[in-house]
Structures are given as C-alpha cells and as structure tokens.
C-alpha cells in the first residue's frame, strides 16, 4: 500500500467538539485535495454517527472530484441508527447536534452491514481501505471470561468478512486501529493485515516497551503502520486533553512538568512542538504515515509540511539527556 506521509482524519466533519458549517468543512476538504496528488481521508461510521462519511462524500461531489482521484479509509464497526434519546448514546458530550445515533456492530454480519452503509453514505465514492474500529474498546466491555471469548470470536468473524470483501475485489487493504496495542498484537496473530493504525502509543511523551515491540513485530510481518494521536490528543501542543481525557495540573503534575520542559527545549532549538511530534513517528522505520486532523483550511498546508520538517539530531540527544524520551537514538 502506497500512502502519502500525511493522512487526514475526518472526525471534524462529524461535528467532534464543534459544529462547523458545511461550507467550512468543504473548504478544509478542498485544501486537503490541493495539498497532495492523491489525498487520503480517514473516516469511520462512528464519526458523528455517519455524518463524517456523509459530509465527505457531499464535499467531494460538490468539488467535482472523480472517485478514482481520492482514497478513503473507513473504520468499520459502528452503524447509524435512529436517534431516540436527547443525546447520542455513544461518547456523550463529544459530538455536537447529531441527528442520528450509532451502535457497535462487530461481527461477520455487522461488519458487512457497516461496509454497505458506509459506502451508501459516501454517495458515489467508496472506501477501498477498511479496518475494524475500536476492537480494544469492544473487548474491554466484556462482562466475564465467556463473554470475552465470544467477543474475540466476533472480532475474528469481522475480519473474515473483510477478507471476503478483499477476495471479491471490493476493497484493497485490511487494517486495524486501536489505542490498546495488546489488541493489535492479538489481531495480528490471527489476521493477515496490510496496515495498522496505533493511537496515543508512539509519541515523544508515550513510547512504552510493549508499543515498540509491537512495531518490530508488525515490521517483520510487512505490516505498514500509521501513527495517530501523535500529540496525545492535543496535550503536547498546548491542549487540555491528554489521550482524550481532560486533565489539570492538580491531577497530573507530571504531565504538565514534562510538557513545560519539552516546550522550552523546542524553543531553544527553534523547532515547533507539532513538528517534533510528527517527526518522532518517523524515527521508527515501521511507521510510514501519520494521521492528522484540522478544522481550519489554513492549517492544511502547514500540517503537510510537518512531515517534511528537519529536526536537528542534537535535539533528540538533548531530549534523552533531559529524561524526556527513553529510547536510544
């Protein structure tokens, strides 16, 4: 699978934490298309209960983009259902002004349904890059050992569905995306993957042994790795959420102390913290691309440029000396 160094996430098209207008969303999509020869959009049925897929297809159509000039990744496992409560039942508070709800559907039949629904929402476009979304959260919800065993069987059933779609020529590649690297490890033991997307696992702040060992394993299996949440959900570049959880100096003084030292070191070397986070990914040869998100058209070009920024070798040496990273470079 040949991918650009930067993939663009589409959660903002699904009204994550804010509600951009359709024209604002279209402006972002337009700038992404202008920024590279063939843009790759990473989406999911979970994003806004299908709204992100719907908006992406509508934006591409209105911009006159031929279906063969764009690549779409759809993370499958959540399907749109009617909204029968005041707020969506999944991730309460995260998605703004949705008209639909979403439920998890991880199984052979569930994934087939998600695949068909996703392409229907995309209109004349289709997702050729697919994966099972949040299998880690699905397995973590098991109520007892028997339930866990059934859920593991359902995950493998979901991948059987993807294998059938690939054999039929309906999709080009199969992947997995999760925050819990042990679940990616489990899937890679049973499924021939083309790619894996990790999140909050390989960043300057977080790069534990288990994540690095998984990268080695995936590399040996010839599985391409896409790194996402490279800013630990925004915290490393000044945000208040660390790995999607809001924190304060009172409950996580260690994280704020680390960030202060990191920001000061970036300033001393005249490098952007965002560029450092992106380039840290490419210190690992198994990582071929990063997934980035933006709601602002003006940031698209600068996000692409982050993948080509040169970080002075002396910077990484100082990061190690300051105790900010634990790997040997």
């Amino acid at each position: 699978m040949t991918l650009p160094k930067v993939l663009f996430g589409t959660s903002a098209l699904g009204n994550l934490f804010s509600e951009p207008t359709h024209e604002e969303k279209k402006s972002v999509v337009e700038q992404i298309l202008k920024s590279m020869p063939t843009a790759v959009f990473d989406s999911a049925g979970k994003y806004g209960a299908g709204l992100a897929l719907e908006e992406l297809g509508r934006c591409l159509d209105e911009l006159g983009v031929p279906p063969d000039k764009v690549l779409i990744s759809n993370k499958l496992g959540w399907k749109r259902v009617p909204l029968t409560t005041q707020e969506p039942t999944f991730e309460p508070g995260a998605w703004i002004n949705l008209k639909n709800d979403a439920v998890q559907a991880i199984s052979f039949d569930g994934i087939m349904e998600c695949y068909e629904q996703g392409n229907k929402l995309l209109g004349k476009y289709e997702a050729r890059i697919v994966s099972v979304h949040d299998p880690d959260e699905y397995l973590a919800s098991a109520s007892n050992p028997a339930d866990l065993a059934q859920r593991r069987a359902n995950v493998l059933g979901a991948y059987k569905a993807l294998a059938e779609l690939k054999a039929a020529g309906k999709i080009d590649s199969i992947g997995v995306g999760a925050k819990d690297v042990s679940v990616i490890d489990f899937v890679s033991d049973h499924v021939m993957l083309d790619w894996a997307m990790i999140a909050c696992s390989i960043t300057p702040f977080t790069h534990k042994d288990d994540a690095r060992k998984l990268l080695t394993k995936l590399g040996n299996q010839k599985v391409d790795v896409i790194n996402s949440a490279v800013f630990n959900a925004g915290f490393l570049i000044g945000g208040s959420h660390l790995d999607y959880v809001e924190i304060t100096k009172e409950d996580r003084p260690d994280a704020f102390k680390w960030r202060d030292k990191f920001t000061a070191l970036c300033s001393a070397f005249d490098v952007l913290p965002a560029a450092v986070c992106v380039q840290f990914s490419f210190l690992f040869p198994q990582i071929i691309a990063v997934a980035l998100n933006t709601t602002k058209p003006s940031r698209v070009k600068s996000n692409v440029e982050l993948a080509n920024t040169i970080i002075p070798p002396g910077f990484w040496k100082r990061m190690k000396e300051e105790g900010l990273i634990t790997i040997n470079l």
Side-chain angles (χ1 to χ4, degrees):
M1 183 171 62
T2 302
L3 294 174
K5 279 190 170 183
V6 177
L7 284 60
F8 282 90
T10 61
S11 56
L13 301 184
N15 295 358
L16 180 64
F17 299 129
S18 66
E19 187 181 5
T21 66
H22 173 69
E23 289 304 316
E24 288 170 333
K25 294 174 182 179
K26 188 164 73 171
S27 293
V28 171
V29 171
E30 184 176 24
Q31 289 305 311
I32 291 170
L33 292 165
K34 289 179 177 178
S35 71
M36 55 188 64
T38 302
V40 181
F41 293 92
D42 176 51
S43 198
K46 187 181 187 182
Y47 294 168
L51 178 63
L53 290 165
E54 212 165 33
E55 286 282 355
L56 177 59
R58 182 181 169 192
C59 290
L60 292 171
D61 190 27
E62 290 176 2
L63 291 167
V65 180
D68 62 347
K69 295 299 182 182
V70 64
L71 288 174
I72 299 171
S73 164
N74 189 8
K75 300 191 287 280
L76 308 172
W78 290 81
K79 65 179 181 179
R80 171 183 283 188
V81 296
L83 181 64
T84 59
T85 52
Q86 191 168 357
E87 284 275 329
T89 56
F90 71 105
E91 299 179 339
W95 305 94
I96 308 302
N97 197 23
L98 299 187
K99 309 304 181 188
N100 298 279
D101 204 352
V103 294
Q104 206 160 35
I106 294 181
S107 65
F108 181 94
D109 291 337
I111 288 299
M112 286 296 195
E113 192 175 354
C114 291
Y115 168 76
E116 296 291 346
Q117 185 184 75
N119 282 347
K120 185 176 180 181
L121 291 171
L122 284 167
K124 68 188 205 182
Y125 303 90
E126 62 179 7
R128 304 286 305 181
I129 304 168
V130 298
S131 62
V132 177
H133 199 189
D134 295 338
D136 47 347
E137 294 180 15
Y138 178 68
L139 296 178
S141 297
S143 56
N144 55 54
D147 186 26
L148 177 60
Q150 181 59 57
R151 285 171 180 258
R152 283 180 170 168
N154 288 343
V155 169
L156 297 181
Y159 276 101
K160 184 179 179 183
L162 297 188
E164 288 193 9
L165 290 171
K166 187 176 181 182
K170 293 183 176 181
I171 61 173
D172 296 327
S173 65
I174 296 171
V176 60
K179 302 180 190 72
D180 184 345
V181 295
S182 70
V183 172
I184 297 178
D185 190 34
F186 161 73
V187 171
S188 67
D189 279 341
H190 296 86
V191 178
M192 188 176 295
L193 296 167
D194 297 301
W195 58 273
M197 181 179 286
I198 57 177
C200 306
S201 299
I202 296 292
T203 76
F205 183 71
T206 308
H207 44 276
K208 295 179 181 177
D209 286 346
D210 57 349
R212 303 203 312 262
K213 287 177 182 176
L214 177 64
L215 285 183
T216 300
K217 175 186 176 183
L218 294 174
N220 291 337
Q221 293 177 335
K222 308 301 182 186
V223 177
D224 291 331
V225 180
I226 301 162
N227 201 13
S228 65
V230 298
F231 312 128
N232 289 96
F235 181 76
L236 302 192
I237 54 174
S240 59
H241 287 73
L242 175 62
D243 297 348
Y244 304 103
V245 177
E246 190 168 12
I247 64 169
T248 66
K249 288 186 178 181
E250 287 68 35
D251 55 36
R252 285 299 306 272
D254 60 312
F256 281 89
K257 182 179 179 181
W258 186 98
R259 186 172 72 179
D260 288 344
K261 291 175 67 176
F262 172 65
T263 303
L265 192 59
C266 289
S267 180
F269 276 80
D270 195 27
V271 293
L272 292 172
V276 171
C277 293
V278 169
Q279 288 302 319
F280 185 80
S281 302
F282 297 124
L283 294 177
F284 300 86
Q286 300 88 356
I287 296 175
I288 65 161
V290 296
L292 301 178
N293 242 312
T294 184
T295 59
K296 299 179 180 179
S298 59
R299 286 192 178 174
V300 170
K301 184 179 179 182
S302 60
N303 276 358
V304 172
E305 290 171 350
L306 294 176
N308 299 311
T309 302
I310 304 297
I311 305 298
F315 177 83
W316 303 118
K317 184 172 183 289
R318 281 286 302 278
M319 285 279 283
K320 181 68 183 289
E321 291 170 351
E322 297 280 343
L324 293 171
I325 58 175
T326 59
I327 60 172
N328 293 315
L329 300 169

